Amino acid sequence: MFAAGSGGLLRALCLFAVFDAACLLNSGMLYPQESSSREVKDLSGLWDFRADTSPNRHQGFERSWFKSRLAQTGPVMEMPVPASYNDITQDPALRDFVGWVWYEREVVVPARWVDDKEIRVVLRVGSAHYYSVVWVNGVKVTEHEGGHLPFEAEIGSIIREDPNVPCRITIAVNNTLNLTTLPPGTIQYMKDRTMYPDGFFVQNYQFDFFNYAGIHRPVLLYTTPKAYVDDISVVTDFLDNTGLVQYDISVKNAATSSLKVTLMDKDGYSVASSKEPSGLLKVVDVHLWWPYLMDEKPGYLYSLEVRLVEAYKGSAYDDVYTLPIGIRTVKVTSNKFLINNKPFYFHGVNKHEDSDIRGKGFDWPLIVKDFNLIKWLGANSFRTSHYPYAEEILQMCDRHGIVVIDESPGVGIKDIRSYGNASLAHHLDVMDELVRRDKNHPSVVMWSVANEPASEMSPAENYFKTVIQHTKALDPTRPVTFVTDSNFERDRGAPFVDVICVNSYFSWYHDPGHLEVIPIQLKTQFENWYGKYKKPIIQSEYGADVVPGLHNDPPVMFTEEYQKEVLRNYHRVFDEKRKQYVVGELIWNFADFMTSQGALRVVGNKKGIFTRQRQPKSAAFVLRDRYWRLANGTGRLPPWTKYPCSF
């Protein structure tokens, strides 16, 4: 619990007070799971696809493509879901396409789902970039603004209208960015016909990763009973060896229901139970959730099983949902970040959801490979730069004890026009959705509302004050930050954050090639920020581009030797300041990733310590040696995990 009180009764009262504040959202977004009462049908695979290449990109709406099979409206191609569409074909126009694209798939729905009207059938889209409209059998069921987060709609009544008709799902997705989207962007029309063809325009944005688009995460059909568990919220604490789990359960369509709540340990044994929709569960001899390399048993998870029994027309209907929970606390002081009242030091990475061919498409082999590399490195944390990652990734973090700074898609906010009321309202909606989705993950220890905004502009003060305070009201149990690269004296968002996260690239974007300036400038940076704000600091980005296999001695920019020397110079200062108020270091970046084309990028950003294909550069071994040294310094590792420096 963030800034928890002390003492038995006071601790419990504080837990209830924080919990009440944390339950502001009135609807749930529980991750779909199969149980004795629920089924899930994954619609991953090949969908029909076509891009609307009409001049205004609105032909699909004007001609109502959703009313018939997409193949009847014109040429279609096969498109994998989930995946970005950009790198799937050999068509350069599709790679850089801006506007509406259309997906369609016909699905065979199990007969019992259609026949039993007491079954809710829900269509869920894990994420699509960025604006989506969804139809089922030609009937609009929902629309959603923003990528990276799930949305859903109940469709049972539609598929039951004519049980003999296949369930035809049509999803239109638009990747256009404007001044009020997150991230923001602008469309620039080139009207000089001596230079550009008719109708030529470009999508401009001020963030350094490729604007991949499409349906990026799985599309699912899932069921629940008519009376169902809609949401679960938990806040955890502990006192001595007793764990405290404050819970609240929201149910829908339940008039005469009863609940049974059972908290089970990792072996499936009940450790606490209740029959109330909200309350406090006490766990004797609690196993706390600890980060990777901070304890012999990291990532310990209990299971909160909620069983709803609803009496209806003389019969009883069950709904069963099980939520994994970790019991842990988070607290921030003026110079420390504490997990379970122990100092925690972030030694981790920044990442991207990015890979060859798939773009930002969800891919289990890649995810498992990345986790193996993270643990190989001895990293204990990462930031979801610069948007929320897939729920399945956070679930793995929970299980493996990898700590997460959960970031919104508020990246590239550089234009003063993006600080208006419409932008602010959308940003608040995004934070609502993010907190609602990720609030129960023990791995998530801090919210980040933005990355490198133009926070020196005068409208930024009220904007970020509002977003940060709103996020704290949604979840008082976690600290809130935003990641800055601004001048410490003029940053208008820093007064409102709990932890200072600062990005800097000394000897790269500033004084390029001069490694000798790093210690001076980095020390000055830390002393300036801490001197003004008296808050713990995380070096949230640092690094250098390197072309794999390029060598030079003495080191010069873009060589593997230069990247290693940049890291070593930063590390020496980190070691001095982490004894005072620096609480973390996150390398930029875990792996090379794609960007838009430009004179400063050679097929993407090359600051990864791994290639885009996840092969290590020389700097990966420098970082691995350092991270295992840091982990061994805690003195809480079992002998078999200790990393010998000669390994």
Side-chain angles (χ1 to χ4, degrees):
M1 180 174 133
F2 177 48
S6 61
L9 178 60
L10 179 59
R11 194 65 162 258
L13 290 174
C14 287
L15 189 66
F16 275 98
V18 168
F19 185 77
D20 288 342
C23 294
L24 299 178
L25 300 174
N26 58 12
S27 62
M29 189 58 72
L30 294 175
Y31 183 79
Q33 65 176 224
E34 293 192 320
S35 71
S36 59
S37 62
R38 297 178 176 224
E39 295 180 80
V40 178
K41 186 178 180 68
D42 191 340
L43 306 185
S44 298
L46 296 179
W47 290 51
D48 284 345
F49 173 92
R50 70 173 300 192
D52 186 343
T53 57
S54 61
N56 67 359
R57 301 294 197 259
H58 272 266
Q59 185 182 93
F61 291 94
E62 293 165 355
R63 299 186 181 180
S64 302
W65 288 357
F66 53 86
K67 288 186 176 180
S68 61
R69 290 180 175 175
L70 194 60
Q72 295 176 346
T73 69
V76 298
M77 67 177 73
E78 292 179 326
M79 185 61 65
V81 172
S84 302
Y85 61 73
N86 308 80
D87 293 341
I88 299 298
T89 76
Q90 305 309 112
D91 184 357
L94 184 59
R95 181 182 189 275
D96 297 313
F97 183 80
V98 178
W100 289 99
V101 297
W102 293 68
Y103 291 81
E104 183 188 88
R105 179 168 175 180
E106 289 190 352
V107 181
V108 176
V109 178
R112 63 185 177 279
W113 292 12
V114 178
D115 296 339
D116 189 347
K117 295 182 180 180
E118 302 305 314
I119 293 178
R120 293 176 63 248
V121 181
V122 181
L123 172 64
R124 179 187 177 105
V125 180
S127 76
H129 287 195
Y130 284 94
Y131 199 99
S132 304
V133 185
V134 184
W135 298 263
V136 174
N137 294 342
V139 178
K140 181 179 172 182
V141 295
T142 190
E143 57 186 299
H144 182 260
E145 182 178 5
H148 312 287
L149 291 165
F151 55 97
E152 60 185 30
E154 190 172 345
I155 64 168
S157 60
I158 297 173
I159 62 176
R160 292 182 181 114
E161 287 183 1
D162 188 348
N164 298 316
V165 174
C167 175
R168 180 171 52 85
I169 300 170
T170 308
I171 305 177
V173 183
N174 192 331
N175 66 335
T176 305
L177 301 175
N178 59 44
L179 290 169
T180 63
T181 58
L182 279 184
T186 57
I187 296 293
Q188 183 178 6
Y189 290 91
M190 307 299 190
K191 298 181 180 180
D192 186 345
R193 292 297 163 258
T194 66
M195 302 267 307
Y196 302 99
D198 187 43
F200 187 88
F201 68 91
V202 293
Q203 170 79 78
N204 295 317
Y205 49 83
Q206 297 191 60
F207 51 86
D208 189 30
F209 54 92
F210 189 77
N211 188 33
Y212 279 113
I215 300 176
H216 285 157
R217 295 176 192 157
V219 179
L220 306 174
L221 289 177
Y222 75 89
T223 68
T224 75
K226 183 177 181 180
Y228 65 99
V229 177
D230 176 61
D231 196 18
I232 305 170
S233 298
V234 297
V235 173
T236 66
D237 201 347
F238 66 93
L239 181 63
D240 298 327
N241 68 335
T242 300
L244 305 174
V245 179
Q246 177 66 43
Y247 71 91
D248 184 78
I249 298 165
S250 169
V251 299
K252 292 287 183 71
N253 304 328
T256 57
S257 62
S258 63
L259 278 172
K260 183 179 180 182
V261 180
T262 306
L263 186 65
M264 295 175 287
D265 65 16
K266 211 165 190 176
D267 297 319
Y269 294 104
S270 173
V271 295
S273 63
S274 173
K275 294 184 178 180
E276 300 300 324
S278 63
L280 180 67
L281 301 176
K282 295 183 179 181
V283 184
V284 179
D285 295 327
V286 64
H287 295 281
L288 297 179
W289 187 93
W290 287 101
Y292 175 57
L293 301 179
M294 199 172 176
D295 188 78
E296 294 185 11
K297 296 180 180 179
Y300 190 97
L301 295 176
Y302 290 86
S303 296
L304 187 73
E305 181 189 83
V306 179
R307 183 176 295 271
L308 169 69
V309 180
E310 170 73 4
Y312 181 71
K313 294 183 178 179
S315 300
Y317 296 86
D318 284 10
D319 186 27
V320 179
Y321 192 91
T322 302
L323 178 72
I325 66 168
I327 298 176
R328 62 101 180 97
T329 63
V330 175
K331 184 177 181 180
V332 173
T333 71
S334 62
N335 63 350
K336 288 183 175 63
F337 195 101
L338 304 175
I339 294 180
N340 299 336
N341 299 326
K342 301 290 186 182
F344 177 76
Y345 187 79
F346 295 79
H347 46 91
V349 298
N350 293 276
K351 292 183 86 278
H352 267 299
E353 290 183 319
D354 173 277
S355 67
D356 290 329
I357 302 175
R358 300 160 185 81
K360 290 193 179 304
F362 180 85
D363 181 54
W364 269 122
L366 181 74
I367 291 169
V368 174
K369 178 65 173 180
D370 282 0
F371 269 81
N372 285 329
L373 289 174
I374 286 170
K375 296 177 80 170
W376 175 86
L377 272 177
N380 62 7
S381 53
F382 66 78
R383 175 168 64 118
T384 68
S385 46
H386 297 295
Y387 38 81
Y389 290 179
E391 293 161 277
E392 294 84 351
I393 292 176
L394 295 184
Q395 291 165 2
M396 285 195 71
C397 290
D398 293 342
R399 295 193 299 271
H400 291 269
I402 303 299
V403 169
V404 176
I405 300 172
D406 204 352
E407 190 159 274
S408 86
V411 60
I413 307 175
K414 304 291 189 182
D415 193 310
I416 194 170
R417 294 171 293 176
S418 291
Y419 284 122
N421 291 335
S423 298
L424 177 59
H426 179 51
H427 204 144
L428 298 179
D429 287 342
V430 169
M431 296 312 300
D432 287 347
E433 293 184 24
L434 176 59
V435 172
R436 177 176 62 179
R437 192 196 74 166
D438 295 346
K439 61 187 175 181
N440 293 321
H441 288 287
S443 59
V444 175
V445 301
M446 183 158 59
W447 306 111
S448 172
V449 302
N451 177 76
E452 294 185 358
S455 52
E456 298 178 6
M457 295 180 178
S458 56
E461 181 171 355
N462 180 68
Y463 184 98
F464 284 110
K465 178 181 179 182
T466 302
V467 174
I468 290 168
Q469 290 181 344
H470 179 79
T471 306
K472 289 182 178 182
L474 291 172
D475 179 14
T477 72
R478 292 176 175 90
V480 180
T481 189
F482 82 141
V483 179
T484 183
D485 62 351
S486 296
N487 181 283
F488 78 100
E489 292 183 313
R490 298 192 296 273
D491 193 296
R492 296 177 181 269
F496 310 110
V497 302
D498 300 301
V499 177
I500 301 293
C501 289
V502 60
N503 299 344
S504 58
Y505 291 90
F506 304 125
S507 85
W508 192 258
Y509 296 122
H510 309 284
D511 301 297
H514 289 282
L515 294 164
E516 66 272 20
V517 308
I518 294 176
I520 300 170
Q521 295 182 3
L522 187 56
K523 286 182 183 179
T524 301
Q525 167 196 280
F526 286 146
E527 290 164 2
N528 285 342
W529 280 100
Y530 191 76
K532 183 173 178 64
Y533 296 105
K534 296 295 189 294
K535 297 175 181 179
I537 300 173
I538 296 174
Q539 182 72 41
S540 41
E541 289 184 24
Y542 72 104
D545 283 85
V546 58
V547 178
L550 189 62
H551 297 278
N552 201 82
D553 187 34
V556 296
M557 295 175 70
F558 294 98
T559 65
E560 298 205 26
E561 289 75 17
Y562 194 87
Q563 187 184 42
K564 290 193 295 183
E565 288 305 309
V566 168
L567 268 57
R568 287 169 176 152
N569 275 277
Y570 268 84
H571 295 165
R572 282 190 282 269
V573 180
F574 294 161
D575 284 340
E576 175 186 337
K577 297 301 182 182
R578 68 186 175 90
K579 300 172 184 176
Q580 303 171 35
Y581 46 75
V582 171
V583 297
E585 55 192 75
L586 304 176
I587 187 71
W588 187 268
N589 191 283
F590 172 75
D592 295 344
F593 56 91
M594 189 54 64
T595 64
S596 61
Q597 297 184 68
L600 299 179
R601 291 283 178 255
V602 182
V603 195
N605 188 302
K606 295 294 192 290
K607 290 189 179 68
I609 57 169
F610 297 99
T611 67
R612 202 182 190 206
Q613 295 73 37
R614 274 47 178 184
Q615 298 305 311
K617 303 177 189 178
S618 298
F621 297 93
V622 172
L623 204 64
R624 185 183 190 220
D625 184 70
R626 172 171 178 78
Y627 282 0
W628 280 98
R629 287 177 185 270
L630 289 170
N632 287 338
T634 67
R636 288 188 289 273
L637 299 183
W640 60 268
T641 63
K642 289 186 181 291
Y643 167 64
C645 298
S646 60
F647 181 35

